[in-house]
Amino acid sequence: MDGLFESELAKRGDMVYEYIRSDRQRKRFHGMDVHDSVYLYVDGKRGKSLRPAVLLFSCGAAGGNEEIALPAAAAIEIFHTWTLVHDDVIDRDSMRRGGYTVHEEFRRRAIELGYDSEDAARYGSSIAILAGDVQQGWSVSLLSELADCGVDPGVVLRLIKMMETDVVLALLAGQTLDVQYSRAPIESLSEDAILEMLWKKTGALYEFSGKMGAMIGLNTKDEGNEMVHSISQFTGRCGTAFQLQDDILGVVGDTKKLGKVVGSDIKEGKRTLIIYHAFTNADSAQKMRLSKTLGNEGASDAEVGEVVDILSDLGSIEYVSALADRHIGEAKRYIERIPQSGYRDLLLMWAEYMVKRDF
Amino acid sequence: MDGLFESELAKRGDMVYEYIRSDRQRKRFHGMDVHDSVYLYVDGKRGKSLRPAVLLFSCGAAGGNEEIALPAAAAIEIFHTWTLVHDDVIDRDSMRRGGYTVHEEFRRRAIELGYDSEDAARYGSSIAILAGDVQQGWSVSLLSELADCGVDPGVVLRLIKMMETDVVLALLAGQTLDVQYSRAPIESLSEDAILEMLWKKTGALYEFSGKMGAMIGLNTKDEGNEMVHSISQFTGRCGTAFQLQDDILGVVGDTKKLGKVVGSDIKEGKRTLIIYHAFTNADSAQKMRLSKTLGNEGASDAEVGEVVDILSDLGSIEYVSALADRHIGEAKRYIERIPQSGYRDLLLMWAEYMVKRDF
């Protein structure tokens, strides 16, 4: 990966985190547990800022000044953050980016205060539910600050409505499907159903990031604008490819680089496309082995290793990798429709980055 | 209570529920569990619509056309609804308005689908967390629809920002304090601390309902406007009085009329002002009896009855009732500052209704 691009990406991450970590933002949140729960992921090891970066690039590619879109970039990062906080409660994950998840952190604090273990777990979950709720509100407030940067209030209202209806609904429908699918027999699913879930869980927010950047850049309410359409189709497809790559890393990635345990998707029985592909192509002996380990939280490393071998033998990892590349190819055809610029180059580099990363 | 007022209140409830139950709103929510979870409280036995009603009255009292404020009235009702959905998860309540809470309803559906009992409980909570998240987004979208009714987009943005920062924060800080207080020794609290929690949990949203109605009525961004100030101080104080009355009904109300079990506050060990007043005025025998029953989920009806007798003997119920009346008195002094009108009369009747109701 090009060092130049990584420094451009890091620069946008710095801009966005400087904005959301500023005293002006921080001082809204009073009370120790309120502030600490809302800022746990913000002050901790930060995310890759892929969504805010693509929003800022999209604004520039549409001919706008990316500085103006900064409140929207901050909004999208906090929007993503609240969904993580609630997903972590739902999935009962205790680690995120090498630190504790919000509910786990506050469960531990409650234990230190002398709560019994069940009560501490309840307290942790309660704080995490409330923290995500506050962050959702915060993301809307951040978006409303666009109007102070010269964006037409009518445009800002349109963006808020899109984020709070279309995007929230897509994301949460995706999360609901994920919860439902993980409990459904794998044979009852289909590739299209899984891709739809991936688009809702991840692609939709990336599509919106591009759309929002372009609409701000053009200061337009018109979602149907050709430039807005090309850019948002591009970012949405890259988002889905990113999720496919994530599923691959969940099987063959490096635990240390990822900050999460590789193989956990297998033990959790997650309905990823890799697993679905393997299952529908497995012979009966392989199917039996897969069924025994998928969704078995107590599976040994050796058992998980056998599953990884099967996924590899059946070409499932390659299959999904090729699918991700196909999404990137389609995405590029959209972005080639917009005028050449330094920002368009950044978008093209970003697309490669989405599937070439190993963390 | 005046039958005229009740019919005026019911009329506003009908207007608001017609708006949120319309096909135009409903069709946003696809997928069976998404639609059903989001609409469970909306389609069920509806709330008293006190917040939307006072918002509409406030708009009229400020000289505006209440029809224009209808999307905001719908927004405040859905906003209130999402906080109930999440509170019910946090408090693990299984009943609301005579029906199942969202998490309980979906736990039951999961059991019917063959989930084991722990998994069904997890599924129910997950759906309820997601449903509340979707509803929060929905409430913001509803508010944004004001701009289609001729309200200045700048005013709408200001209202959205207030709801999504000030109000969300106050409510959730109140809920966090409630969670924390219920685990703290009662002696460590104070009347001011409990009143602050009540204001945050309930008063803030009522204050905002009045403020929003007045700002829409005047089509102004100016929160400091004298009319806006008088109306919002009025509705906020009435809201706190309403919560005090709620605490009284939680001890001496009629289970059937309330749709919830009287005495549950006692068994849950809720830190209401009634309990605090009794505890700080009790002799050592009474204190021992209170300590034994408060927070004891397995307490018998006789034990709960003894606590009610102590609360009554120590004048704690009367004390809190007088305090509620004092809040209403203060509230009225604010509302008397605005010009006389039919809407102002409705606000005054509403104030009485807030503390005289027995359900």
Side-chain angles (χ1 to χ4, degrees):
Chain A
M1 182 50 57
D2 191 355
L4 172 72
F5 175 71
E6 298 211 326
S7 88
E8 292 291 333
L9 185 62
K11 196 174 128 195
R12 271 64 183 195
D14 290 344
M15 281 162 64
V16 167
Y17 274 83
E18 197 179 309
Y19 195 92
I20 60 188
R21 286 173 177 166
S22 68
D23 283 344
R24 186 172 71 84
Q25 295 294 333
R26 193 183 294 276
K27 71 170 190 240
R28 301 180 181 184
F29 305 101
H30 305 296
M32 194 188 68
D33 286 356
V34 174
H35 171 273
D36 289 5
S37 60
V38 165
Y39 268 88
L40 189 70
Y41 293 172
V42 175
D43 282 334
K45 190 178 163 214
R46 77 186 197 208
K48 292 177 277 290
S49 309
L50 291 167
R51 294 164 192 79
V54 80
L55 188 152
L56 296 171
F57 296 158
S58 296
C59 176
N65 172 0
E66 64 168 309
E67 302 271 336
I68 287 174
L70 192 55
I76 211 76
E77 185 69 0
I78 295 301
F79 188 94
H80 176 55
T81 303
W82 79 254
T83 66
L84 297 180
V85 171
H86 281 184
D87 280 0
D88 289 340
V89 174
I90 288 171
D91 296 340
R92 296 195 181 179
D93 288 329
S94 52
M95 302 297 286
R96 158 89 47 204
R97 296 179 192 150
Y100 295 126
T101 51
V102 177
H103 63 98
E104 175 65 10
E105 170 69 25
F106 285 85
R107 187 189 70 78
R108 287 171 174 262
R109 291 194 189 186
I111 293 278
E112 275 174 31
L113 289 172
Y115 290 30
D116 69 37
S117 76
E118 199 202 320
D119 207 26
R122 274 186 71 171
Y123 181 76
S125 300
S126 302
I127 294 293
I129 292 171
L130 298 172
D133 291 341
V134 170
Q135 289 170 328
Q136 183 177 356
W138 187 19
S139 69
V140 174
S141 295
L142 286 164
L143 203 46
S144 76
E145 292 176 10
L146 280 174
D148 308 329
C149 302
V151 182
D152 175 52
V155 174
V156 180
L157 276 177
R158 181 66 57 95
L159 297 176
I160 288 176
K161 189 167 185 176
M162 278 162 45
M163 182 169 86
E164 289 295 285
T165 12
D166 307 343
V167 184
V168 170
L169 263 174
L171 271 166
L172 302 197
Q175 179 70 6
T176 304
L177 289 177
D178 201 12
V179 170
Q180 289 171 340
Y181 287 179
S182 69
R183 289 161 168 88
I186 201 156
E187 308 87 300
S188 69
L189 303 176
S190 70
E191 183 167 318
D192 280 350
I194 294 172
L195 279 173
E196 191 204 343
M197 175 188 79
L198 291 186
W199 184 82
K200 287 183 168 166
K201 280 193 67 171
T202 310
L205 189 54
Y206 277 104
E207 185 176 308
F208 179 63
S209 299
K211 189 184 274 188
M212 185 148 66
M215 287 172 72
I216 295 167
L218 296 163
N219 204 9
T220 182
K221 276 197 257 199
D222 180 13
E223 284 180 61
N225 174 292
E226 212 178 312
M227 177 92 90
V228 172
H229 181 73
S230 297
I231 291 178
S232 62
Q233 290 297 314
F234 166 81
T235 56
R237 279 174 173 69
C238 290
T240 301
F242 173 83
Q243 185 61 54
L244 292 170
Q245 175 71 1
D246 225 41
D247 290 344
I248 294 170
L249 293 173
V251 175
V252 295
D254 179 323
T255 297
K256 225 168 170 180
K257 282 192 186 164
L258 289 168
K260 69 177 180 186
V261 180
V262 169
S264 58
D265 284 4
I266 293 170
K267 289 192 203 175
E268 281 171 25
K270 274 215 168 175
R271 294 342 192 188
T272 67
L273 205 55
I274 303 175
I275 303 289
Y276 177 77
H277 179 273
F279 206 85
T280 47
N281 288 283
D283 63 29
S284 57
Q286 288 168 322
K287 220 173 248 184
M288 209 183 296
R289 165 55 58 203
L290 289 172
S291 300
K292 210 186 137 204
T293 306
L294 295 175
N296 173 10
E297 296 280 359
S300 68
D301 285 355
E303 287 171 315
V304 171
E306 277 182 64
V307 168
V308 174
D309 288 344
I310 294 173
L311 301 181
S312 182
D313 292 346
L314 292 170
S316 307
I317 298 169
E318 268 172 50
Y319 177 80
V320 171
S321 179
L323 190 65
D325 285 341
R326 214 152 65 230
H327 273 80
I328 295 292
E330 280 175 32
K332 284 183 176 170
R333 278 199 297 281
Y334 277 101
I335 208 65
E336 279 156 7
R337 296 181 192 171
I338 74 163
Q340 206 288 321
S341 72
Y343 281 109
R344 199 185 77 166
D345 291 342
L346 284 170
L347 287 177
L348 283 162
M349 285 189 260
W350 176 81
E352 288 302 320
Y353 182 83
M354 295 295 272
V355 287
K356 293 295 173 264
R357 74 203 158 83
D358 59 355
F359 63 92
Chain B
M1 182 50 59
D2 191 356
L4 172 71
F5 175 72
E6 298 212 325
S7 87
E8 292 290 334
L9 184 61
K11 198 174 127 195
R12 270 64 183 194
D14 291 343
M15 282 162 62
V16 167
Y17 274 83
E18 197 178 308
Y19 195 91
I20 59 187
R21 286 173 177 166
S22 68
D23 284 343
R24 187 171 71 84
Q25 295 294 332
R26 193 184 294 275
K27 70 170 191 242
R28 301 179 180 183
F29 305 101
H30 305 296
M32 194 189 68
D33 286 357
V34 174
H35 170 273
D36 290 5
S37 60
V38 165
Y39 267 87
L40 188 71
Y41 294 171
V42 174
D43 282 335
K45 191 177 163 215
R46 77 186 197 208
K48 293 177 278 289
S49 309
L50 291 167
R51 292 163 192 80
V54 80
L55 188 152
L56 295 171
F57 296 158
S58 296
C59 175
N65 172 0
E66 63 169 309
E67 302 271 337
I68 287 174
L70 193 54
I76 210 77
E77 186 68 0
I78 296 301
F79 188 95
H80 176 55
T81 303
W82 78 255
T83 66
L84 296 179
V85 171
H86 281 184
D87 280 0
D88 289 340
V89 175
I90 288 170
D91 296 341
R92 296 194 180 179
D93 288 330
S94 53
M95 302 297 287
R96 157 91 44 205
R97 296 179 194 151
Y100 295 125
T101 51
V102 177
H103 63 97
E104 175 65 9
E105 170 69 24
F106 286 85
R107 187 189 71 78
R108 288 170 173 263
R109 291 194 188 187
I111 293 278
E112 276 174 31
L113 289 172
Y115 290 29
D116 69 37
S117 76
E118 199 203 321
D119 206 26
R122 274 186 70 171
Y123 181 76
S125 299
S126 302
I127 294 293
I129 292 172
L130 297 172
D133 291 340
V134 170
Q135 289 170 327
Q136 183 178 357
W138 187 20
S139 69
V140 174
S141 295
L142 286 164
L143 203 45
S144 76
E145 292 177 10
L146 280 174
D148 309 329
C149 301
V151 181
D152 175 51
V155 174
V156 181
L157 276 177
R158 182 65 57 95
L159 296 176
I160 288 176
K161 189 168 186 176
M162 278 162 46
M163 182 169 86
E164 290 295 284
T165 13
D166 307 342
V167 184
V168 170
L169 262 174
L171 271 166
L172 302 196
Q175 179 70 7
T176 304
L177 289 177
D178 201 11
V179 170
Q180 289 170 341
Y181 287 179
S182 69
R183 290 161 169 87
I186 201 154
E187 309 88 300
S188 69
L189 303 176
S190 70
E191 183 167 318
D192 281 350
I194 294 172
L195 280 172
E196 190 203 342
M197 174 187 78
L198 292 186
W199 183 82
K200 287 182 169 166
K201 279 193 69 173
T202 310
L205 188 55
Y206 277 103
E207 184 176 306
F208 179 62
S209 299
K211 189 183 273 187
M212 184 148 66
M215 287 172 72
I216 295 167
L218 295 164
N219 204 11
T220 182
K221 277 197 256 200
D222 179 15
E223 285 180 60
N225 174 292
E226 212 178 311
M227 177 92 92
V228 172
H229 181 73
S230 298
I231 291 178
S232 62
Q233 289 297 313
F234 166 81
T235 56
R237 278 174 173 69
C238 290
T240 301
F242 173 83
Q243 185 61 54
L244 292 170
Q245 175 71 0
D246 224 43
D247 290 344
I248 293 170
L249 292 172
V251 174
V252 296
D254 180 322
T255 297
K256 226 170 169 177
K257 282 191 186 163
L258 288 168
K260 68 177 180 185
V261 181
V262 169
S264 58
D265 284 4
I266 292 170
K267 290 193 202 174
E268 282 172 24
K270 274 214 169 177
R271 294 340 192 189
T272 67
L273 205 55
I274 303 174
I275 303 290
Y276 178 77
H277 179 272
F279 207 85
T280 47
N281 288 283
D283 63 29
S284 58
Q286 288 168 322
K287 220 173 248 184
M288 209 184 295
R289 166 53 60 202
L290 289 172
S291 300
K292 209 185 137 204
T293 306
L294 294 175
N296 173 9
E297 296 280 358
S300 69
D301 285 355
E303 286 171 315
V304 171
E306 277 182 66
V307 168
V308 174
D309 288 345
I310 293 173
L311 301 180
S312 182
D313 292 347
L314 291 170
S316 307
I317 298 169
E318 268 172 53
Y319 177 80
V320 171
S321 179
L323 190 65
D325 286 341
R326 214 153 63 232
H327 273 80
I328 295 292
E330 280 175 32
K332 284 183 176 170
R333 278 199 296 282
Y334 277 102
I335 208 64
E336 279 155 7
R337 295 182 192 172
I338 74 163
Q340 206 288 321
S341 71
Y343 282 109
R344 199 186 75 166
D345 291 343
L346 284 169
L347 287 177
L348 284 163
M349 285 188 261
W350 176 80
E352 288 302 320
Y353 182 83
M354 295 294 273
V355 288
K356 293 295 173 263
R357 75 204 158 82
D358 59 355
F359 62 93

